[in-house]
Amino acid sequence: MQSKVVPATTPFLLGGPFLLALACLLALVAAFGVITVGAAVMGVLSAVTAGLLATRVYRRDVTAVASYIKSLKEAEQGLGLPSEASPTARLLAAGVARLHSDWLERNDHLRKGLETSERILEALHDPLILLGQDRGVIRANAAARNLFGDRMAERDLAATLRNPHLLGAVDAVLGGAASRIVEFSLPVPVERVFEARVTPHRSHEQGNASAVAILTFHDMTAIKRSEQMRADFVANASHELRTPLTTLLGFIETLRGPARDDPEARDRFLSIMHDQSGRMSRLVNDLLSLSKIELDEHTPPTGRADVSRIARSAVAALELKAAARRIRLSLTVPPNFPAVTGDDDQLAQVFQNLIDNAIKYTRDSTEVRTTLSLAGGRGSTPMVSISVADCGEGIARTHLLRLTERFYRVDPARSRALGGTGLGLAIVKHIVNRHRGRLTIESDVGKGSTFTVFLPAAADEVNATAPKQAGGNAA
């Protein structure tokens, strides 16, 4: 019976494949941060090179393969196989290269999917916020950032939204409750009504499920304003139209009865009826105009308006009315006056109402002055001012705060005699609110009143205009 001699290198040859497989797995983990099925394949490939650690040549191959794996991590594309390694080591490196190529392809696919999801999230019209378990804001899309500001990320939701009902619903959902719907309003800069939906969601991070909530907002302002508009229109129309309608019915009955054959009374009554009909027509038009403006008040305009051109048109349109009472209309506009962000038609209505009011209430043979100027800025937004000043009797301070209310009149009898509807300044206020501006009223009893509108200017034009502000021209 012959005995079999086992070479002294056998233990090293048996241990070599496993040590090499372990080295390759560790290199892959260091390079790519994960252990995949490909890593297991590496172990199989390494078994083919049994005994590599037994010689210096194979130790050099291991070093070359490890260096190759490290280079793959830093490369955006595949690399050539190490030329100095043995065929066995090159075979192992080829397997690593295939795994790296698959990893790059899968990573690119995931990256493109993530970018698509990001674009969809950012393009959503409704604001969306993702909340963590501690009520901190994890993500907010563009609509949410535009509504609540860019600084809400990684902060408690309460730092941005302080509505107790909404925060209570969020806390309940984060605590395990079902979806909640809450209606709330934001009072500034213009009151807006939102329906907020808080929905529970589960995400998996590092193998552990953590509860989060998705908070979405739906703007209900237009719907609420439409409902309020119908109610207000019915209430205002029924109240304000009752008097002229009663007057018309009374005169019609008189003309059909006692004044049937009285030419002088008929002409006088028909003149009054004509005035009352005109007042009703103006009232209905102003109510419709005000309702439309209120409906869009929460949506600021995005166009550009040339206020100097609009002011000149308004002054020209009212010159004949002013001339009938020997009133002079003056307009002062600095050269190269900047445009504003606004709606041409609505701003024309502002000028028309303010100048028309000034003509009505100024004294005969006086002057109504319209002045355009730069007015500094509100925060980072440059502003322009448009002021209309008259030389009338003035308004007592107790009335100033209520002048922009619907149908509020300091002197109702005089206002009706002058053809006013009591809606002109209310229309001005709502247009200015929509343009994110402000209206100020100053008045001295016995001297006159000044109405000033401040509007956001087009910022790119202000710097070029400011040095030329010193001069002015009168129209």
Side-chain angles (χ1 to χ4, degrees):
M1 183 175 180
Q2 296 180 349
S3 60
K4 188 174 181 180
V5 178
V6 180
T9 58
T10 298
F12 298 99
L13 293 174
L14 292 175
F18 301 103
L19 291 174
L20 183 57
L22 180 60
C24 291
L25 287 173
L26 292 175
L28 283 171
V29 172
F32 304 116
V34 293
I35 298 179
T36 64
V37 177
V41 176
M42 293 300 306
V44 176
L45 290 174
S46 65
V48 179
T49 62
L52 285 178
L53 297 178
T55 64
R56 293 180 179 177
V57 176
Y58 292 151
R59 290 193 185 96
R60 183 184 63 195
D61 289 341
V62 172
T63 303
V65 172
S67 177
Y68 179 71
I69 293 174
K70 182 178 180 181
S71 299
L72 280 177
K73 176 187 176 182
E74 301 173 355
E76 296 182 358
Q77 299 179 352
L79 298 175
L81 300 178
S83 58
E84 69 278 3
S86 67
T88 303
R90 287 171 61 82
L91 177 63
L92 183 60
V96 174
R98 285 194 298 273
L99 291 174
H100 179 257
S101 177
D102 292 342
W103 180 82
L104 286 178
E105 183 178 352
R106 184 168 60 253
N107 183 66
D108 184 63
H109 178 72
L110 293 175
R111 180 180 57 80
K112 289 181 179 178
L114 181 61
E115 290 176 353
T116 301
S117 299
E118 290 283 346
R119 287 195 296 269
I120 293 174
L121 184 66
E122 289 294 296
L124 288 177
H125 177 72
D126 289 336
L128 184 146
I129 299 174
L130 181 64
L131 300 171
Q133 182 65 50
D134 59 351
R135 205 171 64 186
V137 177
I138 299 174
R139 282 292 313 278
N141 67 352
R145 296 193 302 272
N146 290 337
L147 181 62
F148 302 114
D150 295 330
R151 301 173 57 187
M152 63 185 308
E154 300 181 357
R155 301 174 66 186
D156 192 297
L157 181 66
T160 303
L161 286 168
R162 303 181 183 276
N163 186 277
H165 300 292
L166 176 61
L167 295 177
V170 170
D171 290 338
V173 171
L174 290 175
S179 299
R180 299 288 178 90
I181 297 177
V182 177
E183 188 174 289
F184 73 102
S185 62
L186 295 177
V188 293
V190 175
E191 185 177 13
R192 300 176 68 178
V193 181
F194 289 91
E195 181 185 84
R197 181 183 295 270
V198 191
T199 307
H201 175 68
R202 286 276 172 182
S203 67
H204 296 273
E205 298 177 358
Q206 299 178 353
N208 298 321
S210 59
V212 298
I214 298 175
L215 180 58
T216 55
F217 300 87
H218 180 58
D219 195 342
M220 304 288 290
T221 308
I223 297 174
K224 295 296 183 181
R225 286 187 181 276
S226 180
E227 295 173 355
Q228 188 64 39
M229 178 187 70
R230 289 193 293 269
D232 288 344
F233 184 85
V234 172
N236 293 328
S238 62
H239 178 267
E240 292 295 323
L241 293 177
R242 184 181 294 115
T243 299
L245 280 174
T246 302
T247 302
L248 286 174
L249 289 173
F251 283 130
I252 290 172
E253 290 178 1
T254 303
L255 289 174
R256 294 177 64 182
R260 180 191 300 270
D261 299 321
D262 188 344
E264 182 179 351
R266 183 173 62 245
D267 291 342
R268 187 173 71 256
F269 291 163
L270 287 175
S271 176
I272 297 173
M273 291 169 65
H274 179 270
D275 292 340
Q276 293 296 325
S277 300
R279 178 170 176 259
M280 284 195 298
S281 177
R282 291 191 301 272
L283 181 62
V284 171
N285 289 336
D286 283 351
L287 280 172
L288 292 174
S289 178
L290 181 58
S291 298
K292 183 178 183 301
I293 293 167
E294 287 181 328
L295 190 63
D296 297 331
E297 188 175 353
H298 65 286
T299 306
T302 57
R304 293 167 68 88
D306 184 353
V307 288
S308 60
R309 178 188 58 79
I310 296 172
R312 290 188 176 94
S313 298
V315 169
L318 292 168
E319 278 183 343
L320 289 178
K321 183 175 182 178
R325 295 177 53 203
R326 300 181 301 282
I327 297 170
R328 179 175 177 268
L329 301 183
S330 68
L331 173 63
T332 302
V333 183
N336 302 314
F337 196 72
V340 301
T341 303
D343 181 287
D344 279 21
D345 293 337
Q346 289 190 347
L347 291 179
Q349 199 168 5
V350 168
F351 279 100
Q352 185 85 13
N353 286 0
L354 291 180
I355 298 175
D356 185 57
N357 269 2
I359 293 173
K360 288 177 183 176
Y361 294 103
T362 195
R363 299 184 183 94
D364 291 348
S365 304
T366 57
E367 181 182 31
V368 171
R369 301 179 301 278
T370 303
T371 306
L372 277 62
S373 62
L374 295 178
R378 185 173 58 185
S380 60
T381 304
M383 306 287 285
V384 301
S385 69
I386 304 101
S387 65
V388 178
D390 63 52
C391 299
E393 298 296 332
I395 305 168
R397 185 175 296 274
T398 55
H399 297 290
L400 293 182
L401 293 178
R402 300 192 60 189
L403 282 180
T404 56
E405 294 180 9
R406 292 185 180 199
F407 303 114
Y408 184 82
R409 301 176 178 92
V410 177
D411 186 347
R414 184 185 180 193
S415 176
R416 290 191 179 95
L418 294 173
T421 62
L423 294 173
L425 289 179
I427 290 173
V428 169
K429 180 188 72 172
H430 287 288
I431 291 177
V432 172
N433 285 345
R434 185 185 178 224
H435 284 70
R436 302 302 185 258
R438 68 182 189 275
L439 170 67
T440 63
I441 304 173
E442 298 175 356
S443 185
D444 290 329
V445 176
K447 296 182 179 180
S449 306
T450 301
F451 294 79
T452 304
V453 172
F454 296 89
L455 298 172
D460 56 338
E461 297 186 14
V462 171
N463 292 335
T465 306
K468 305 175 183 179
Q469 170 88 339
N473 64 297

